[in-house]
Amino acid sequence: MLTESPTVIVTTPEELLPLLMEAVRAAIEDEKKTDVVSPQGKKLLAPKDVEREFGIHRKMLAEWRSEGIGPAYTTFGRRVLYERSVIEDYIVSKRIKTSEDSGA
């Protein structure tokens, strides 16, 4: 039961649009922060985390596992897990040196 009387706010669409746009921007920024911060704290990553963070599709990881190639992984029951450092090392090992890269 309401003890206070409801408040009615009257506004025009022109006044409301910037407020809505700012709220949407803030929600998108919060979601981006959550996606980035959440998996990066983990040492072990599920294939979906690898896909989200490194861009290696889950199906590609599964293909590599079935062919016995790709980054090393661990199974725990039915779960497949990758160590973050192993994924990072695997990506670096596939780096191709170019003529512009000779200075580094």
Side-chain angles (χ1 to χ4, degrees):
M1 188 178 241
L2 293 173
T3 56
E4 298 177 18
S5 62
T7 302
V8 177
I9 299 173
V10 179
T11 184
T12 64
E14 292 80 20
E15 294 171 328
L16 190 57
L17 184 61
L19 296 173
L20 288 172
M21 301 252 317
E22 182 57 36
V24 169
R25 279 191 201 106
I28 290 170
E29 286 302 314
D30 285 346
E31 190 169 321
K32 284 181 183 176
K33 290 176 187 173
T34 302
D35 282 348
V36 171
V37 171
S38 175
Q40 289 198 359
K42 295 180 184 177
K43 183 178 178 183
L44 295 176
L45 304 171
K48 68 177 180 175
D49 298 326
V50 174
E51 180 178 10
R52 187 176 350 168
E53 191 170 335
F54 295 99
I56 304 170
H57 199 281
R58 286 180 258 190
K59 289 182 180 181
M60 179 61 69
L61 292 168
E63 225 175 274
W64 287 343
R65 287 192 306 270
S66 71
E67 294 175 15
I69 60 175
Y73 62 94
T74 303
T75 57
F76 187 74
R78 298 178 122 192
R79 294 190 64 190
V80 174
L81 300 169
Y82 293 90
E83 289 183 52
R84 175 183 307 285
S85 61
V86 170
I87 294 291
E88 291 169 348
D89 292 344
Y90 183 77
I91 291 170
V92 169
S93 74
K94 298 301 177 187
R95 181 178 292 157
I96 298 171
K97 187 173 181 165
T98 62
S99 60
E100 293 179 5
D101 193 31
S102 61

